[in-house]
């Protein structure tokens, strides 16, 4: 029997969209990909913003500037959203889902903000909503959490989920560069945007943590604020201290259980022991480390960005949606566990690294130590180095409550003898924090 033709529309022909167009029209690959359950796939339109831009590899006859019309086509089977941003992407996705059209997207910002509502809308209209490429680009982590680990109780997910910041921190580690130099290099090589805020202030990683958490634990995707600290305050001297102490500084996205019903979701720089698998994730690579009760530690490593790796993950979703469509079914949304509550980052304990520059005067050490003591933060070790009229003090604390460490730093800043305070960086141990 002849299989019906499956009609696919794409919004966006940038890095990912144009790579997907290539994969879809490359006929040898195309035929090889189609298994018995799918049928011929026809690309019916590619919506962009600028109709005049040259687009090598994208058939001119398919290009349209009317994304609204494409997302409202009744004869579409799958709409792929690769434009990014919240609006008009959300409106286009909603239109398609309301027509019962399945949607594939790589849009982490939108999924973190409206994923629960969009998944519900898809379900109500018998359609799929897939977004494998939204976390870790080409790394197949979402389907692994959702399907392969569906029967596992996951305790913690930790990820290096932003290639830009990992590139910058890797440069600081391997070459001793300052943050500003490493950022400029990342920009020159195209790893960082001209406005790097979304990456370096960890908005991008925070959206990915929300998505990972929703699949690992059943937390909602409703745009909740999560604790977020970027890498702009990490200095080369911190990286150097970490190296001497046997650690590497990484920006970690963490989602973990706290007690029976608590979930902590946060992004912050952390000192990772050199022997931890995440410590060897270099450059723009991404990795997700999962700790399951029975499976033990698991890790996925790969290219978190780039047109082709990301488009490959998108195509996997498209083929899944096609297979579902041909067999007349759709996936149900992930289950929301409404017994869970969010634990504020301040309530958690960790070992911290803190470094401060002080005036080299008598009595300074006693004053500084007094501030730690009065906030209940005890010191595990201290290193002092002098330069000119100043001295730098680097501390490792014992396990301390984050809010107590924050209070310590605030009090230290009020001491006349304290010149400047660097980042407070959590120290991760091999098995837990
Ligand atoms: N790049 C990666 O490696 C990567 C990895 C994982 C996930 N993602 C996600 O994938 C999505 C696409 O990323 P990208 O890097 O491919 O972006 P991009 O290169 O900036 O491309 C965006 C495309 O969308 C089009 N577009 C933007 N607004 C539009 C609108 N209102 N109507 C119609 N078309 C519109 C643009 O048109 P013009 O060409 O006319 O400007 C462009 O073709 C984003 O959600 C991103 O977060 C990207």
């Amino acid at each position: 029997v002849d299989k019906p033709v499956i009609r696919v529309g794409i919004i966006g022909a940038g890095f990912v969209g144009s790579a997907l167009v290539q994969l879809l029209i490359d006929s040898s690959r195309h035929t090889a990909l189609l298994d018995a359950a799918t049928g011929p796939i026809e690309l019916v339109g590619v919506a962009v913003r600028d109709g005049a831009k040259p687009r090598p590899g994208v058939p001119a006859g398919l290009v349209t500037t009317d994304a609204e019309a494409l997302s409202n086509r009744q004869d579409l089977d799958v709409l792929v959203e690769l434009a990014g941003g919240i609006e008009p992407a959300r409106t286009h996705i909603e239109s398609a889902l309301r027509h019962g059209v399945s949607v594939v997207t790589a849009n982490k910002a939108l999924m973190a903000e409206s994923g629960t509502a969009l998944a519900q809308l898809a379900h109500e209209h018998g359609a799929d909503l897939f977004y494998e490429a939204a976390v870790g680009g080409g790394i197949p982590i979402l389907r692994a959490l959702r399907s392969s680990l569906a029967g596992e109780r996951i305790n913690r997910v930790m990820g290096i989920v932003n290639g830009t910041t990992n590139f910058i921190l890797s440069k600081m580690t391997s070459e001793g560069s300052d943050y500003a130099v490493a950022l400029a290099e990342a920009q020159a090589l195209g790893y960082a945007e001209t406005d790097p805020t979304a990456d370096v202030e960890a908005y991008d990683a925070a959206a990915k943590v929300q998505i990972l958490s929703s699949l690992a634990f059943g937390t909602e995707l409703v745009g909740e604020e999560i604790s977020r600290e970027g890498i702009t305050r990490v200095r080369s001297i911190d990286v150097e201290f970490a190296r001497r102490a046997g650690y590497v500084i990484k920006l970690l996205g963490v989602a973990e259980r706290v007690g029976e019903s608590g979930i902590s979701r946060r992004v912050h720089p952390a000192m990772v022991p050199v022997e931890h698998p995440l410590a060897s994730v270099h450059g723009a690579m991404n990795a997700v480390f999962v700790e399951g009760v029975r499976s033990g530690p698991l890790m996925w490593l790969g290219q978190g960005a780039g047109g082709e790796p990301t488009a490959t993950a998108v195509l996997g979703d498209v083929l899944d949606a096609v297979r579902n469509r041909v067999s007349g079914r759709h996936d149900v949304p992930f289950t929301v566990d409404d017994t869970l509550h969010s634990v504020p980052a301040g309530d958690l304990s960790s070992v911290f690294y803190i470094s401060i520059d002080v005036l080299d005067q008598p009595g300074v050490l006693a004053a500084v130590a007094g501030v730690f003591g009065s906030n209940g933060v005890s010191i595990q070790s201290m290193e002092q180095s002098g330069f000119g009229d100043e001295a730098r003090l680097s501390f490792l604390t014992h396990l301390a409550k984050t809010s107590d460490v924050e209070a310590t730093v605030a009090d230290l800043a009020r001491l006349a003898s304290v010149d400047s305070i660097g980042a407070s960086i959590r120290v991760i141990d091999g098995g837990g924090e």
Side-chain angles (χ1 to χ4, degrees):
V1 257
D2 282 349
K3 294 271 181 353
V5 173
I6 297 289
R7 292 186 180 77
V8 175
I10 303 176
I11 302 180
F15 290 109
V16 185
S18 58
L20 179 66
V21 171
Q22 282 304 304
L23 292 181
L24 274 174
I25 62 183
D26 175 345
S27 58
S28 59
R29 197 191 297 250
H30 185 191
T31 357
L33 276 170
L34 300 180
D35 63 32
T38 63
I41 295 177
E42 186 192 350
L43 181 57
V44 299
V46 180
V48 296
R49 214 165 11 194
D50 178 358
K53 217 187 253 183
R55 299 179 193 275
V58 182
L62 292 181
V63 175
T64 167
T65 51
D66 197 345
E68 194 184 333
L70 184 65
S71 55
N72 276 295
R73 266 178 78 148
Q74 310 267 354
D75 65 344
L76 219 53
D77 292 291
V78 180
L79 179 77
V80 185
E81 185 279 310
L82 295 170
I86 303 297
E87 284 296 347
R90 175 166 42 206
T91 303
H92 294 147
I93 290 175
E94 286 172 350
S95 305
L97 293 174
R98 286 206 177 90
H99 292 302
V101 172
S102 290
V103 169
V104 174
T105 179
N107 193 328
K108 53 230 136 184
L110 177 59
M111 289 311 300
E113 190 171 303
S114 303
T116 296
L118 290 173
Q120 188 52 36
L121 187 65
H123 185 51
E124 281 163 17
H125 293 273
D128 280 317
L129 173 65
F130 293 148
Y131 44 98
E132 178 63 66
V135 179
I139 305 175
I141 177 64
L142 299 190
R143 203 168 264 102
L145 286 173
R146 201 184 147 140
S147 306
S148 316
L149 292 170
E152 174 61 309
R153 182 174 167 92
I154 294 170
N155 280 333
R156 174 151 74 156
V157 180
M158 282 199 296
I160 295 174
V161 288
N162 182 273
T164 306
T165 46
N166 201 50
F167 178 88
I168 293 171
L169 292 173
S170 296
K171 278 281 159 196
M172 293 175 73
T173 302
S174 63
E175 292 171 16
S177 326
D178 279 329
Y179 167 75
V181 172
L183 170 63
E185 192 173 345
Q187 286 169 322
L189 291 170
Y191 286 122
E193 315 250 343
T194 317
D195 175 2
T197 312
D199 293 320
V200 300
E201 297 291 2
Y203 289 98
D204 175 79
K208 290 163 177 171
V209 166
Q210 300 217 35
I211 296 171
L212 289 169
S213 168
S214 70
L215 294 171
F217 307 117
T219 49
E220 285 193 272
L221 288 170
V222 290
E224 221 174 312
E225 277 289 312
I226 72 166
S227 163
R228 180 183 49 74
E229 220 178 285
I231 62 163
T232 54
R233 295 180 64 213
V234 178
R235 301 165 303 171
S236 53
I237 53 144
D238 305 329
V239 172
E240 174 52 24
F241 177 91
R243 192 190 59 75
R244 274 184 278 120
Y247 296 94
V248 182
I249 299 183
K250 294 289 183 192
L251 182 69
L252 291 189
V254 184
E256 69 181 339
R257 287 190 195 277
V258 182
E260 258 316 293
S261 62
I263 297 288
S264 164
R265 287 166 298 171
R266 54 192 200 273
V267 187
H268 51 69
M271 287 196 189
V272 178
V274 284
E275 63 274 13
H276 193 285
L278 286 171
S280 53
V281 178
H282 302 300
M285 294 296 265
N286 279 199
V288 179
F289 186 81
V290 173
E291 293 167 30
V293 170
R294 287 161 292 254
S295 57
L298 297 159
M299 188 162 98
W300 287 257
L301 168 80
Q303 301 198 49
E308 283 214 315
T310 308
T312 303
V314 173
L315 183 55
D317 277 353
V318 169
L319 293 178
D320 237 14
V322 169
R323 275 192 287 269
N324 271 352
R325 210 143 178 102
V326 170
S327 58
R329 59 181 293 272
H330 70 279
D331 281 13
V332 290
F334 71 84
T335 314
V336 170
D337 181 350
D338 52 22
T339 65
L340 296 175
H341 70 275
S342 217
V343 178
D347 290 357
L348 298 178
S349 293
S350 178
V351 168
F352 277 85
Y353 156 85
I354 300 167
S355 109
I356 55 179
D357 290 349
V358 296
L359 302 178
D360 203 357
Q361 294 168 344
V364 170
L365 259 185
V368 167
V371 168
F372 277 90
S374 64
N375 284 291
V377 175
S378 74
I379 297 165
Q380 186 186 136
S381 68
M382 190 206 80
E383 207 183 86
Q384 177 172 3
S385 50
F387 49 99
D389 296 339
E390 293 210 340
R392 175 163 298 140
L393 306 175
S394 301
F395 297 93
L396 281 179
T397 71
H398 280 293
L399 209 57
K401 207 171 146 193
T402 306
S403 55
D404 292 342
V405 171
E406 286 165 355
T408 304
V409 168
D411 287 351
L412 286 171
R414 281 191 279 269
L415 288 184
S417 51
V418 169
D419 192 39
S420 68
I421 305 178
S424 322
I425 302 178
R426 293 162 177 83
V427 179
I428 310 281
D429 69 32
E433 270 176 58

